[in-house]
Amino acid sequence: MAEQHTPRSLIVSFYGAYGRAPDESPVPVAALIRLLGALGVDAPSVRSSVSRLKRRGLLLPGRTADGAAGYALSEDARRLLDDGDRRIYARTEPKLSEGWVLAVFSVPEAERHKRHLLRSRLARLGFGTAAPGVWIAPARLYEETRNTLERLELSPYVDLFRGDHLGYAATAGAVARWWDLPAIAGLHEEFLAAHEPVLRAWRSAPAGAEDAYRDYLLALDSWRRLPYADPVLPAELLPDDWPGRRSAEVFTALHELLWDRGAEYVGPFLSGDADTP
């Protein structure tokens, strides 16, 4: 998760943070260009990325109340963002007693492309590999997994189970086989290296609304990948020096400190009260 903020990723992060109006009204194109421009993204890159998201069915063209061209989230995109919220803004850690969800799949050889899609999607959901064709994750990921498999029309190939790990190896040892814990820890360390100094700076010398918007969106764009790479395992199964808790605390603090200030900057653009080209 090197600090690479692509235009398309930043647009998704923007809609996740500020672009979900209760009335589902579209974000004006001119406003989106200005708001992404504050993050160093030029207008052609914004338009190109929006076109790709439109082709994927995530953004839908529309008109604002004053007739300006804009883009709103599709139903699928809203569902994806709502599912993501439960991870990105989670405040509680799972308990070992909650158990696990198992995904057991079998895909015919004639449809092996779906096998690859299924594996990659389970990995992106945070599943580890317990055995060939058997993937495992904390039980709290069941609903999102079910939604994702149904949306991608992969559910006919999968059986989902809930259960406990009964042996024979100690669960902490098994978890170290199911997931690459050093790699996940490295992602948390990267996040901390990039954004913990930002938090310290805001605590010592608060800045303006545009700076809050910029720093928050960059932090969110980095953070929202992490709860997918890291399934967030019960604390007793992780090393004592696990950095995940600290990185979650840093993101939560940045969210509480910056989101409202950032909304002050974004609001006039979405309402049409800001000057846009």
Side-chain angles (χ1 to χ4, degrees):
M1 189 203 68
E3 288 290 305
Q4 296 177 354
H5 302 284
T6 67
R8 183 164 41 173
S9 178
L10 286 168
I11 290 169
V12 172
S13 294
F14 170 80
Y15 272 91
Y18 299 112
R20 280 180 279 180
D23 61 358
E24 302 185 10
S25 58
V27 175
V29 174
L32 194 59
I33 288 171
R34 284 287 299 274
L35 289 165
L36 269 293
L39 296 161
V41 182
D42 59 33
S45 295
V46 173
R47 294 185 186 278
S48 175
S49 298
V50 165
S51 293
R52 292 192 188 99
L53 292 168
K54 178 184 171 184
R55 287 196 296 272
R56 289 181 56 193
L58 298 177
L59 292 181
L60 301 174
R63 293 282 172 179
T64 65
D66 60 3
Y71 284 90
L73 292 165
S74 68
E75 183 178 345
D76 277 351
R78 283 184 173 272
R79 190 175 181 184
L80 282 169
L81 291 174
D82 289 345
D83 282 343
D85 284 353
R86 286 189 281 274
R87 293 195 189 209
I88 292 168
Y89 302 107
R91 300 296 179 89
T92 59
E93 296 182 352
K95 298 180 175 61
L96 188 56
S97 59
E98 293 174 8
W100 306 91
V101 58
L102 292 177
V104 180
F105 65 84
S106 177
V107 180
E109 183 62 24
E111 298 180 274
R112 58 183 177 273
H113 65 285
K114 291 188 176 179
R115 186 183 307 142
H116 172 73
L117 176 60
L118 187 48
R119 287 171 176 160
S120 64
R121 191 57 53 150
L122 288 172
R124 287 174 61 183
L125 285 166
F127 276 71
T129 308
V134 182
W135 292 60
I136 188 167
R140 62 166 55 189
L141 302 186
Y142 164 71
E143 289 293 343
E144 184 180 357
T145 300
R146 186 181 186 93
N147 288 344
T148 299
L149 296 177
E150 289 174 356
R151 180 174 57 82
L152 296 175
E153 299 181 351
L154 294 171
S155 54
Y157 307 100
V158 184
D159 286 303
L160 298 175
F161 302 87
R162 269 188 176 153
D164 300 317
H165 180 239
L166 301 178
Y168 291 91
T171 304
V175 159
R177 296 196 313 271
W178 299 339
W179 284 277
D180 186 346
L181 295 182
I184 296 171
L187 298 179
H188 285 293
E189 295 290 358
E190 285 183 23
F191 178 86
L192 287 165
H195 299 286
E196 198 167 30
V198 176
L199 177 61
R200 287 197 296 266
W202 274 93
R203 283 175 168 169
S204 62
E210 182 177 354
D211 293 316
Y213 158 75
R214 184 186 302 111
D215 287 346
Y216 177 69
L217 205 66
L218 291 174
L220 175 62
D221 195 54
S222 296
W223 173 257
R224 68 181 179 84
R225 301 168 176 81
L226 254 175
Y228 289 90
D230 182 352
V232 188
L233 300 169
E236 59 263 47
L237 301 180
L238 295 169
D240 291 339
D241 59 350
W242 185 250
R245 179 174 295 176
R246 193 165 100 251
S247 67
E249 290 171 350
V250 167
F251 175 73
T252 297
L254 285 169
H255 175 73
E256 292 175 347
L257 195 62
L258 302 182
W259 186 89
D260 284 336
R261 290 297 310 279
E264 293 175 11
Y265 177 72
V266 171
F269 290 96
L270 300 186
S271 65
D273 294 332
D275 293 331
T276 56

PDB file of all heavy atoms in Angstrom, residues 108-136:
ATOM      1  N   PRO A 108     -16.309 -25.176 -12.130  1.00  0.00           N
ATOM      2  CA  PRO A 108     -15.992 -26.083 -13.248  1.00  0.00           C
ATOM      3  C   PRO A 108     -14.822 -25.559 -14.071  1.00  0.00           C
ATOM      4  O   PRO A 108     -14.634 -24.348 -14.216  1.00  0.00           O
ATOM      5  CB  PRO A 108     -17.287 -26.091 -14.073  1.00  0.00           C
ATOM      6  CG  PRO A 108     -18.353 -25.648 -13.127  1.00  0.00           C
ATOM      7  CD  PRO A 108     -17.696 -24.716 -12.166  1.00  0.00           C
ATOM      8  N   GLU A 109     -14.044 -26.468 -14.629  1.00  0.00           N
ATOM      9  CA  GLU A 109     -12.884 -26.086 -15.421  1.00  0.00           C
ATOM     10  C   GLU A 109     -13.267 -25.192 -16.591  1.00  0.00           C
ATOM     11  O   GLU A 109     -12.519 -24.279 -16.960  1.00  0.00           O
ATOM     12  CB  GLU A 109     -12.168 -27.344 -15.939  1.00  0.00           C
ATOM     13  CG  GLU A 109     -10.895 -27.073 -16.718  1.00  0.00           C
ATOM     14  CD  GLU A 109      -9.815 -26.373 -15.901  1.00  0.00           C
ATOM     15  OE1 GLU A 109      -9.832 -26.488 -14.653  1.00  0.00           O
ATOM     16  OE2 GLU A 109      -8.968 -25.690 -16.522  1.00  0.00           O
ATOM     17  N   ALA A 110     -14.443 -25.410 -17.150  1.00  0.00           N
ATOM     18  CA  ALA A 110     -14.893 -24.607 -18.287  1.00  0.00           C
ATOM     19  C   ALA A 110     -15.120 -23.147 -17.898  1.00  0.00           C
ATOM     20  O   ALA A 110     -15.185 -22.275 -18.772  1.00  0.00           O
ATOM     21  CB  ALA A 110     -16.180 -25.192 -18.876  1.00  0.00           C
ATOM     22  N   GLU A 111     -15.236 -22.880 -16.599  1.00  0.00           N
ATOM     23  CA  GLU A 111     -15.455 -21.509 -16.120  1.00  0.00           C
ATOM     24  C   GLU A 111     -14.319 -21.066 -15.205  1.00  0.00           C
ATOM     25  O   GLU A 111     -14.528 -20.341 -14.251  1.00  0.00           O
ATOM     26  CB  GLU A 111     -16.797 -21.420 -15.389  1.00  0.00           C
ATOM     27  CG  GLU A 111     -18.000 -21.744 -16.251  1.00  0.00           C
ATOM     28  CD  GLU A 111     -19.295 -21.639 -15.479  1.00  0.00           C
ATOM     29  OE1 GLU A 111     -19.680 -22.642 -14.838  1.00  0.00           O
ATOM     30  OE2 GLU A 111     -19.911 -20.564 -15.504  1.00  0.00           O
ATOM     31  N   ARG A 112     -13.110 -21.501 -15.535  1.00  0.00           N
ATOM     32  CA  ARG A 112     -11.988 -21.232 -14.635  1.00  0.00           C
ATOM     33  C   ARG A 112     -11.707 -19.741 -14.459  1.00  0.00           C
ATOM     34  O   ARG A 112     -11.107 -19.341 -13.467  1.00  0.00           O
ATOM     35  CB  ARG A 112     -10.729 -21.954 -15.089  1.00  0.00           C
ATOM     36  CG  ARG A 112     -10.256 -21.639 -16.481  1.00  0.00           C
ATOM     37  CD  ARG A 112      -9.028 -22.486 -16.812  1.00  0.00           C
ATOM     38  NE  ARG A 112      -8.568 -22.276 -18.178  1.00  0.00           N
ATOM     39  CZ  ARG A 112      -9.024 -22.942 -19.227  1.00  0.00           C
ATOM     40  NH1 ARG A 112      -9.956 -23.872 -19.058  1.00  0.00           N
ATOM     41  NH2 ARG A 112      -8.543 -22.713 -20.428  1.00  0.00           N
ATOM     42  N   HIS A 113     -12.145 -18.894 -15.417  1.00  0.00           N
ATOM     43  CA  HIS A 113     -11.971 -17.454 -15.230  1.00  0.00           C
ATOM     44  C   HIS A 113     -12.731 -16.970 -14.003  1.00  0.00           C
ATOM     45  O   HIS A 113     -12.309 -16.036 -13.316  1.00  0.00           O
ATOM     46  CB  HIS A 113     -12.429 -16.700 -16.483  1.00  0.00           C
ATOM     47  CG  HIS A 113     -13.882 -16.817 -16.776  1.00  0.00           C
ATOM     48  ND1 HIS A 113     -14.454 -17.963 -17.295  1.00  0.00           N
ATOM     49  CD2 HIS A 113     -14.907 -15.941 -16.598  1.00  0.00           C
ATOM     50  CE1 HIS A 113     -15.756 -17.777 -17.444  1.00  0.00           C
ATOM     51  NE2 HIS A 113     -16.056 -16.574 -17.021  1.00  0.00           N
ATOM     52  N   LYS A 114     -13.863 -17.638 -13.701  1.00  0.00           N
ATOM     53  CA  LYS A 114     -14.605 -17.273 -12.503  1.00  0.00           C
ATOM     54  C   LYS A 114     -13.880 -17.749 -11.240  1.00  0.00           C
ATOM     55  O   LYS A 114     -14.028 -17.149 -10.169  1.00  0.00           O
ATOM     56  CB  LYS A 114     -16.015 -17.847 -12.570  1.00  0.00           C
ATOM     57  CG  LYS A 114     -16.881 -17.193 -13.638  1.00  0.00           C
ATOM     58  CD  LYS A 114     -18.320 -17.635 -13.558  1.00  0.00           C
ATOM     59  CE  LYS A 114     -19.168 -16.885 -14.596  1.00  0.00           C
ATOM     60  NZ  LYS A 114     -20.581 -17.302 -14.562  1.00  0.00           N
ATOM     61  N   ARG A 115     -13.106 -18.810 -11.371  1.00  0.00           N
ATOM     62  CA  ARG A 115     -12.322 -19.274 -10.228  1.00  0.00           C
ATOM     63  C   ARG A 115     -11.310 -18.205  -9.828  1.00  0.00           C
ATOM     64  O   ARG A 115     -11.133 -17.908  -8.642  1.00  0.00           O
ATOM     65  CB  ARG A 115     -11.621 -20.584 -10.587  1.00  0.00           C
ATOM     66  CG  ARG A 115     -10.892 -21.241  -9.412  1.00  0.00           C
ATOM     67  CD  ARG A 115     -10.151 -22.493  -9.865  1.00  0.00           C
ATOM     68  NE  ARG A 115     -11.044 -23.407 -10.567  1.00  0.00           N
ATOM     69  CZ  ARG A 115     -10.695 -24.124 -11.629  1.00  0.00           C
ATOM     70  NH1 ARG A 115      -9.476 -24.010 -12.130  1.00  0.00           N
ATOM     71  NH2 ARG A 115     -11.550 -24.943 -12.199  1.00  0.00           N
ATOM     72  N   HIS A 116     -10.661 -17.628 -10.828  1.00  0.00           N
ATOM     73  CA  HIS A 116      -9.690 -16.559 -10.550  1.00  0.00           C
ATOM     74  C   HIS A 116     -10.391 -15.348  -9.934  1.00  0.00           C
ATOM     75  O   HIS A 116      -9.899 -14.764  -8.960  1.00  0.00           O
ATOM     76  CB  HIS A 116      -8.980 -16.154 -11.840  1.00  0.00           C
ATOM     77  CG  HIS A 116      -8.106 -14.943 -11.675  1.00  0.00           C
ATOM     78  ND1 HIS A 116      -6.903 -14.980 -11.004  1.00  0.00           N
ATOM     79  CD2 HIS A 116      -8.294 -13.649 -12.069  1.00  0.00           C
ATOM     80  CE1 HIS A 116      -6.378 -13.761 -10.992  1.00  0.00           C
ATOM     81  NE2 HIS A 116      -7.188 -12.942 -11.633  1.00  0.00           N
ATOM     82  N   LEU A 117     -11.530 -14.968 -10.496  1.00  0.00           N
ATOM     83  CA  LEU A 117     -12.279 -13.832  -9.957  1.00  0.00           C
ATOM     84  C   LEU A 117     -12.695 -14.099  -8.520  1.00  0.00           C
ATOM     85  O   LEU A 117     -12.598 -13.216  -7.651  1.00  0.00           O
ATOM     86  CB  LEU A 117     -13.508 -13.560 -10.827  1.00  0.00           C
ATOM     87  CG  LEU A 117     -14.456 -12.450 -10.349  1.00  0.00           C
ATOM     88  CD1 LEU A 117     -13.723 -11.118 -10.269  1.00  0.00           C
ATOM     89  CD2 LEU A 117     -15.661 -12.347 -11.273  1.00  0.00           C
ATOM     90  N   LEU A 118     -13.134 -15.312  -8.246  1.00  0.00           N
ATOM     91  CA  LEU A 118     -13.584 -15.668  -6.900  1.00  0.00           C
ATOM     92  C   LEU A 118     -12.432 -15.595  -5.906  1.00  0.00           C
ATOM     93  O   LEU A 118     -12.561 -15.016  -4.818  1.00  0.00           O
ATOM     94  CB  LEU A 118     -14.188 -17.066  -6.932  1.00  0.00           C
ATOM     95  CG  LEU A 118     -14.874 -17.617  -5.694  1.00  0.00           C
ATOM     96  CD1 LEU A 118     -15.852 -16.624  -5.117  1.00  0.00           C
ATOM     97  CD2 LEU A 118     -15.566 -18.922  -6.032  1.00  0.00           C
ATOM     98  N   ARG A 119     -11.296 -16.149  -6.282  1.00  0.00           N
ATOM     99  CA  ARG A 119     -10.139 -16.099  -5.391  1.00  0.00           C
ATOM    100  C   ARG A 119      -9.708 -14.666  -5.123  1.00  0.00           C
ATOM    101  O   ARG A 119      -9.439 -14.287  -3.970  1.00  0.00           O
ATOM    102  CB  ARG A 119      -8.980 -16.886  -5.996  1.00  0.00           C
ATOM    103  CG  ARG A 119      -9.152 -18.400  -5.959  1.00  0.00           C
ATOM    104  CD  ARG A 119      -8.063 -19.054  -6.779  1.00  0.00           C
ATOM    105  NE  ARG A 119      -8.116 -20.511  -6.717  1.00  0.00           N
ATOM    106  CZ  ARG A 119      -7.551 -21.318  -7.606  1.00  0.00           C
ATOM    107  NH1 ARG A 119      -6.874 -20.797  -8.628  1.00  0.00           N
ATOM    108  NH2 ARG A 119      -7.641 -22.624  -7.479  1.00  0.00           N
ATOM    109  N   SER A 120      -9.615 -13.878  -6.189  1.00  0.00           N
ATOM    110  CA  SER A 120      -9.153 -12.503  -6.001  1.00  0.00           C
ATOM    111  C   SER A 120     -10.139 -11.694  -5.174  1.00  0.00           C
ATOM    112  O   SER A 120      -9.750 -10.855  -4.351  1.00  0.00           O
ATOM    113  CB  SER A 120      -8.907 -11.838  -7.354  1.00  0.00           C
ATOM    114  OG  SER A 120     -10.110 -11.716  -8.087  1.00  0.00           O
ATOM    115  N   ARG A 121     -11.431 -11.947  -5.363  1.00  0.00           N
ATOM    116  CA  ARG A 121     -12.423 -11.183  -4.609  1.00  0.00           C
ATOM    117  C   ARG A 121     -12.419 -11.588  -3.136  1.00  0.00           C
ATOM    118  O   ARG A 121     -12.511 -10.729  -2.253  1.00  0.00           O
ATOM    119  CB  ARG A 121     -13.809 -11.393  -5.204  1.00  0.00           C
ATOM    120  CG  ARG A 121     -14.850 -10.457  -4.655  1.00  0.00           C
ATOM    121  CD  ARG A 121     -14.483  -9.010  -4.834  1.00  0.00           C
ATOM    122  NE  ARG A 121     -14.141  -8.672  -6.208  1.00  0.00           N
ATOM    123  CZ  ARG A 121     -14.326  -7.484  -6.742  1.00  0.00           C
ATOM    124  NH1 ARG A 121     -14.851  -6.511  -6.035  1.00  0.00           N
ATOM    125  NH2 ARG A 121     -13.952  -7.251  -7.990  1.00  0.00           N
ATOM    126  N   LEU A 122     -12.287 -12.874  -2.845  1.00  0.00           N
ATOM    127  CA  LEU A 122     -12.205 -13.298  -1.451  1.00  0.00           C
ATOM    128  C   LEU A 122     -10.962 -12.715  -0.788  1.00  0.00           C
ATOM    129  O   LEU A 122     -11.014 -12.275   0.372  1.00  0.00           O
ATOM    130  CB  LEU A 122     -12.184 -14.825  -1.361  1.00  0.00           C
ATOM    131  CG  LEU A 122     -13.510 -15.531  -1.679  1.00  0.00           C
ATOM    132  CD1 LEU A 122     -13.305 -17.040  -1.738  1.00  0.00           C
ATOM    133  CD2 LEU A 122     -14.587 -15.188  -0.654  1.00  0.00           C
ATOM    134  N   ALA A 123      -9.849 -12.684  -1.519  1.00  0.00           N
ATOM    135  CA  ALA A 123      -8.635 -12.088  -0.960  1.00  0.00           C
ATOM    136  C   ALA A 123      -8.849 -10.613  -0.670  1.00  0.00           C
ATOM    137  O   ALA A 123      -8.425 -10.096   0.370  1.00  0.00           O
ATOM    138  CB  ALA A 123      -7.470 -12.285  -1.922  1.00  0.00           C
ATOM    139  N   ARG A 124      -9.544  -9.910  -1.578  1.00  0.00           N
ATOM    140  CA  ARG A 124      -9.793  -8.482  -1.369  1.00  0.00           C
ATOM    141  C   ARG A 124     -10.767  -8.241  -0.225  1.00  0.00           C
ATOM    142  O   ARG A 124     -10.759  -7.172   0.387  1.00  0.00           O
ATOM    143  CB  ARG A 124     -10.316  -7.857  -2.655  1.00  0.00           C
ATOM    144  CG  ARG A 124      -9.247  -7.703  -3.720  1.00  0.00           C
ATOM    145  CD  ARG A 124      -9.804  -7.223  -5.035  1.00  0.00           C
ATOM    146  NE  ARG A 124     -10.431  -5.913  -4.921  1.00  0.00           N
ATOM    147  CZ  ARG A 124     -11.041  -5.307  -5.917  1.00  0.00           C
ATOM    148  NH1 ARG A 124     -11.124  -5.893  -7.100  1.00  0.00           N
ATOM    149  NH2 ARG A 124     -11.580  -4.111  -5.750  1.00  0.00           N
ATOM    150  N   LEU A 125     -11.591  -9.209   0.083  1.00  0.00           N
ATOM    151  CA  LEU A 125     -12.496  -9.096   1.225  1.00  0.00           C
ATOM    152  C   LEU A 125     -11.777  -9.355   2.547  1.00  0.00           C
ATOM    153  O   LEU A 125     -12.328  -9.098   3.622  1.00  0.00           O
ATOM    154  CB  LEU A 125     -13.662 -10.068   1.080  1.00  0.00           C
ATOM    155  CG  LEU A 125     -14.738  -9.680   0.069  1.00  0.00           C
ATOM    156  CD1 LEU A 125     -15.654 -10.873  -0.225  1.00  0.00           C
ATOM    157  CD2 LEU A 125     -15.564  -8.505   0.572  1.00  0.00           C
ATOM    158  N   GLY A 126     -10.540  -9.880   2.475  1.00  0.00           N
ATOM    159  CA  GLY A 126      -9.771 -10.137   3.682  1.00  0.00           C
ATOM    160  C   GLY A 126      -9.704 -11.591   4.084  1.00  0.00           C
ATOM    161  O   GLY A 126      -9.224 -11.910   5.179  1.00  0.00           O
ATOM    162  N   PHE A 127     -10.149 -12.497   3.230  1.00  0.00           N
ATOM    163  CA  PHE A 127     -10.097 -13.917   3.548  1.00  0.00           C
ATOM    164  C   PHE A 127      -8.661 -14.435   3.482  1.00  0.00           C
ATOM    165  O   PHE A 127      -7.864 -13.997   2.647  1.00  0.00           O
ATOM    166  CB  PHE A 127     -10.961 -14.722   2.572  1.00  0.00           C
ATOM    167  CG  PHE A 127     -12.420 -14.772   2.929  1.00  0.00           C
ATOM    168  CD1 PHE A 127     -13.210 -13.642   2.802  1.00  0.00           C
ATOM    169  CD2 PHE A 127     -13.000 -15.938   3.398  1.00  0.00           C
ATOM    170  CE1 PHE A 127     -14.559 -13.676   3.123  1.00  0.00           C
ATOM    171  CE2 PHE A 127     -14.349 -15.986   3.722  1.00  0.00           C
ATOM    172  CZ  PHE A 127     -15.130 -14.856   3.594  1.00  0.00           C
ATOM    173  N   GLY A 128      -8.358 -15.379   4.358  1.00  0.00           N
ATOM    174  CA  GLY A 128      -7.125 -16.135   4.278  1.00  0.00           C
ATOM    175  C   GLY A 128      -7.408 -17.511   3.704  1.00  0.00           C
ATOM    176  O   GLY A 128      -8.564 -17.941   3.620  1.00  0.00           O
ATOM    177  N   THR A 129      -6.343 -18.214   3.322  1.00  0.00           N
ATOM    178  CA  THR A 129      -6.490 -19.531   2.716  1.00  0.00           C
ATOM    179  C   THR A 129      -6.214 -20.607   3.756  1.00  0.00           C
ATOM    180  O   THR A 129      -5.091 -20.766   4.226  1.00  0.00           O
ATOM    181  CB  THR A 129      -5.519 -19.693   1.533  1.00  0.00           C
ATOM    182  OG1 THR A 129      -5.671 -18.590   0.643  1.00  0.00           O
ATOM    183  CG2 THR A 129      -5.806 -20.983   0.789  1.00  0.00           C
ATOM    184  N   ALA A 130      -7.274 -21.360   4.115  1.00  0.00           N
ATOM    185  CA  ALA A 130      -7.121 -22.452   5.076  1.00  0.00           C
ATOM    186  C   ALA A 130      -6.667 -23.732   4.388  1.00  0.00           C
ATOM    187  O   ALA A 130      -5.936 -24.533   4.960  1.00  0.00           O
ATOM    188  CB  ALA A 130      -8.432 -22.690   5.816  1.00  0.00           C
ATOM    189  N   ALA A 131      -7.118 -23.942   3.143  1.00  0.00           N
ATOM    190  CA  ALA A 131      -6.780 -25.126   2.352  1.00  0.00           C
ATOM    191  C   ALA A 131      -7.215 -24.830   0.924  1.00  0.00           C
ATOM    192  O   ALA A 131      -7.972 -23.876   0.689  1.00  0.00           O
ATOM    193  CB  ALA A 131      -7.484 -26.373   2.890  1.00  0.00           C
ATOM    194  N   PRO A 132      -6.763 -25.610  -0.065  1.00  0.00           N
ATOM    195  CA  PRO A 132      -7.223 -25.361  -1.431  1.00  0.00           C
ATOM    196  C   PRO A 132      -8.752 -25.384  -1.524  1.00  0.00           C
ATOM    197  O   PRO A 132      -9.396 -26.344  -1.112  1.00  0.00           O
ATOM    198  CB  PRO A 132      -6.599 -26.521  -2.221  1.00  0.00           C
ATOM    199  CG  PRO A 132      -5.375 -26.885  -1.434  1.00  0.00           C
ATOM    200  CD  PRO A 132      -5.756 -26.695  -0.001  1.00  0.00           C
ATOM    201  N   GLY A 133      -9.307 -24.289  -2.015  1.00  0.00           N
ATOM    202  CA  GLY A 133     -10.763 -24.194  -2.147  1.00  0.00           C
ATOM    203  C   GLY A 133     -11.492 -23.883  -0.857  1.00  0.00           C
ATOM    204  O   GLY A 133     -12.720 -23.844  -0.832  1.00  0.00           O
ATOM    205  N   VAL A 134     -10.743 -23.642   0.234  1.00  0.00           N
ATOM    206  CA  VAL A 134     -11.351 -23.324   1.534  1.00  0.00           C
ATOM    207  C   VAL A 134     -10.724 -22.033   2.052  1.00  0.00           C
ATOM    208  O   VAL A 134      -9.539 -21.986   2.372  1.00  0.00           O
ATOM    209  CB  VAL A 134     -11.152 -24.459   2.561  1.00  0.00           C
ATOM    210  CG1 VAL A 134     -11.834 -24.104   3.889  1.00  0.00           C
ATOM    211  CG2 VAL A 134     -11.678 -25.781   2.027  1.00  0.00           C
ATOM    212  N   TRP A 135     -11.544 -20.988   2.152  1.00  0.00           N
ATOM    213  CA  TRP A 135     -11.077 -19.680   2.580  1.00  0.00           C
ATOM    214  C   TRP A 135     -11.775 -19.309   3.889  1.00  0.00           C
ATOM    215  O   TRP A 135     -12.913 -19.721   4.129  1.00  0.00           O
ATOM    216  CB  TRP A 135     -11.356 -18.634   1.503  1.00  0.00           C
ATOM    217  CG  TRP A 135     -10.533 -18.845   0.260  1.00  0.00           C
ATOM    218  CD1 TRP A 135     -10.530 -19.935  -0.553  1.00  0.00           C
ATOM    219  CD2 TRP A 135      -9.589 -17.936  -0.295  1.00  0.00           C
ATOM    220  NE1 TRP A 135      -9.651 -19.765  -1.587  1.00  0.00           N
ATOM    221  CE2 TRP A 135      -9.061 -18.541  -1.460  1.00  0.00           C
ATOM    222  CE3 TRP A 135      -9.155 -16.664   0.061  1.00  0.00           C
ATOM    223  CZ2 TRP A 135      -8.106 -17.920  -2.251  1.00  0.00           C
ATOM    224  CZ3 TRP A 135      -8.205 -16.037  -0.739  1.00  0.00           C
ATOM    225  CH2 TRP A 135      -7.683 -16.658  -1.872  1.00  0.00           C
ATOM    226  N   ILE A 136     -11.087 -18.539   4.721  1.00  0.00           N
ATOM    227  CA  ILE A 136     -11.574 -18.269   6.071  1.00  0.00           C
ATOM    228  C   ILE A 136     -11.432 -16.790   6.410  1.00  0.00           C
ATOM    229  O   ILE A 136     -10.514 -16.114   5.949  1.00  0.00           O
ATOM    230  CB  ILE A 136     -10.805 -19.136   7.097  1.00  0.00           C
ATOM    231  CG1 ILE A 136     -11.434 -19.020   8.497  1.00  0.00           C
ATOM    232  CG2 ILE A 136      -9.318 -18.783   7.122  1.00  0.00           C
ATOM    233  CD1 ILE A 136     -10.938 -20.076   9.468  1.00  0.00           C
TER     234      ILE A 136
END
